Amino acid sequence: ADMSLNPSPEETPGLRRRFIISSIIVAGVFCILALRLWYLQILGTDYYRDLSERNRIRYVAIQAPRGAVFDRHGVLLVDNRPAFTVSALRQEVDDRKQLFANLAKLLDIDEAMLEERWQKGQSLPRYRPLPLVEDVGRQAMEMVQENSIDLPGLLIEVKPLRSYPFGDMAAHLFGYLGEVTEDELRQSGFSDYRSGEMVGKTALEKAYESRLQGDAGQKRIEVNVRGRELRQVTIRSPLPGQQVYLTIDSVLQQAAENALADNAGAIVALDVNSGEVLALVSRPSFDPAWFARGITSEEWRDLSNNPQHPMTNKALRGQYPPGSTFKMAVALAALEAGTVTPATKVYCSGSLKLSRSYAFRCWKKEGHGSVDLHKAIKESCDVWFYQVGLETGIDRISSAAKRLGLGAQTGFPFGSERSGLIPTREWKKKRFGTSWYDGETVISSIGQGFVLTTPMQLATMTAALANGGTVWRPQVVQKIVDLEGNAEWVLDPEKLNETAWSSKHLTLVRKAMEAVVNDVGGTAWRSQLDKVRFAGKTGTAQVVRRKSDEEEEASEEGEVPYQFRDHALFVSYAPAENPQIAVAVVVEHGGHGSSAAAPIAKAMYDAYFADETKAEEVTKLISAED
């Protein structure tokens, strides 16, 4: 027994080897643990601290409010309102399908829409919250918060959303917002944007995006294991965009919108002494708030399929034959060329025969009798202008029209303005390869045929007639103001052309335009106002060929389909003795300028030159907003 307790010398080396091996293994394990501990505490400090921070800290961008837009008197036209957005922190979302299923059921929305928004944001850094559902109501927001344990990785962001106190008023002028696209995000100018953010897509919102955008802030928040916010650690406040003051007069703008009502068409009002746009209307319109919150496919389909093209700014892009509103250009061209004098008379029997087989009719079947320049404009005698146009020639007429601002873009700062068309002999030869005919001069002399103008051009022309011949570039931004109230940019009126019209000739034309509205027999005399005397010219632009007598009778009975009815036009300025404002009105398929367009201008002047002071009107508008 004693011998069994004491190993023999032969067994001792084996025990020693096992002991040594075990000791080495244990030492090795401790070395590995020590090395791992050293790695975790020394080399991996930054990495694991970052992981720890990400479990506890979130960085959330705070979208800056876009700059507000005001009218010339400080009336708020475009503002912002707070809106709740459900966003996802992608690094905290483990089961996306289950998350989307829970959220879709909770908010009664389509899972496919959530997946689409998720995919759109894949190109962005993962630390940025990805907006999934925007502009949810307060009740929906509270439901998301109450069920946050089933919605891991989601958070509620409060974002400023565009609001429009006056609804769709001046929508074509403001433009609309849309979600930033992947192509835009790849561009250098959009480096500060993230998926889901809204940017200006058209008109003012697009042209002044960099000034309206503002600078985003950042919020650093601490959350618990369930993702609930515990406290706000740090915050960098966002800086709102700059404020834009327009030249628009909201009283006049509203009056124009109300007067045009449900008719399709356009209205432009200008300050005759600076080119400042006082009103710009295009109808039918659209609600820019739809785009601010994210337009639905059904809403977009309704806008796109509307045959009256509500998305087109007709004030800048609508091209219409000017009809008889073109006659002032013809009259000035003839006076300047010496082909007529104020006393030159033409007998109007109701038509002008250019050949044995064809006669050009006057709008008045029985004719106007003996007509001079004053009567020709006042009563809009076509035959007088047929004859005078032939004697003056198309090239002289075209030159006068272009000097008045027709046939070329006026230089309006945004909106993809179209140029219209003022034809010449050379233009026709290049365009069609054929010579110019006398019959084309005849119909061009009453603003038909190849002649096309935009409402903006017609307003520019009328302003030039009113101010003595100066064509001003139309401007709509009065000033841009920073957060401290300092003007970053101020409007500097720009002359496009200062025509050397004879003051005597201009006076003759202006007196005739005054008679159009204020003298019995004038084509717009029923639209005269007691409070202010204004001057104007009616126009009726044919959409199809000149009607036969039978078609005229059917037209009077209202049997002509809408799309074949004539456009109604009216250009004017006021006051007649000391012009301040020029207005051009186009009512698509409205019939006659005297009955459809002139009353709209009358309503605008009635509002603009109201007996109450304009300051009181502005005060009412501001009070209504508050």
Side-chain angles (χ1 to χ4, degrees), residues 534-548:
F534 67 97
K537 181 71 189 78
T538 56
T540 301
Q542 292 178 330
V543 176
V544 293
R545 62 177 175 78
R546 174 72 86 172
K547 304 178 184 68
S548 66

Side-chain angles (χ1 to χ4, degrees), residues 206-453:
K206 180 180 180 180
Y208 291 85
E209 172 66 26
S210 61
R211 292 183 178 273
L212 292 168
Q213 172 196 5
D215 295 324
Q218 189 177 66
K219 181 168 59 173
R220 187 169 178 259
I221 60 175
E222 184 177 343
V223 298
N224 64 13
V225 69
R226 292 186 176 180
R228 291 184 181 273
E229 182 176 333
L230 297 177
R231 66 189 179 94
Q232 197 173 100
V233 180
T234 59
I235 186 169
R236 185 180 76 240
S237 299
L239 297 177
Q242 296 177 342
Q243 297 177 343
V244 177
Y245 285 77
L246 303 181
T247 60
I248 293 296
D249 184 300
S250 53
V251 172
L252 186 64
Q253 179 76 27
Q254 277 197 305
E257 301 261 4
N258 294 338
L260 190 53
D262 294 331
N263 294 300
I267 301 171
V268 177
L270 300 177
D271 184 319
V272 304
N273 297 309
S274 67
E276 295 179 19
V277 178
L278 300 175
L280 188 149
V281 178
S282 177
R283 303 210 53 102
S285 189
F286 61 91
D287 189 348
W290 288 1
F291 294 88
R293 57 152 168 79
I295 190 168
T296 65
S297 57
E298 183 179 352
E299 289 169 341
W300 177 250
R301 187 166 53 251
D302 290 342
L303 290 173
S304 302
N305 295 336
N306 190 323
Q308 293 183 321
H309 308 292
M311 298 303 295
T312 300
N313 186 346
K314 296 172 182 177
L316 301 176
R317 296 190 56 75
Q319 297 187 119
Y320 308 91
S324 293
T325 63
F326 189 68
K327 290 177 177 178
M328 283 81 72
V330 178
L332 284 174
L335 288 168
E336 186 175 65
T339 54
V340 297
T341 69
T344 299
K345 293 186 177 182
V346 172
Y347 186 80
C348 172
S349 62
S351 65
L352 173 69
K353 286 189 176 182
L354 199 59
S355 66
R356 292 183 179 180
S357 60
Y358 194 82
F360 293 90
R361 297 166 47 204
C362 183
W363 69 267
K364 191 175 183 179
K365 298 176 186 178
E366 62 274 21
H368 291 88
S370 182
V371 181
D372 60 11
L373 182 147
H374 185 86
K375 184 178 179 181
I377 294 177
K378 171 188 167 184
E379 299 184 15
S380 199
C381 176
D382 292 335
V383 170
W384 191 92
F385 283 96
Y386 291 156
Q387 185 64 51
V388 169
L390 278 172
E391 294 175 5
T392 305
I394 188 61
D395 288 339
R396 287 174 174 170
I397 293 172
S398 297
S399 175
K402 291 177 180 178
R403 286 161 58 192
L404 287 169
L406 305 182
Q409 295 179 354
T410 64
F412 188 80
F414 52 80
S416 302
E417 181 184 11
R418 300 183 76 173
S419 60
L421 175 62
I422 301 298
T424 62
R425 293 178 183 274
E426 181 182 3
W427 168 84
K428 190 191 175 190
K429 193 71 174 178
K430 288 182 178 179
R431 177 67 177 82
F432 298 103
T434 56
S435 300
W436 186 267
Y437 301 117
D438 285 347
E440 293 168 330
T441 301
V442 169
I443 58 175
S444 295
S445 297
I446 61 166
Q448 293 285 168
F450 295 119
V451 183
L452 292 173
T453 57

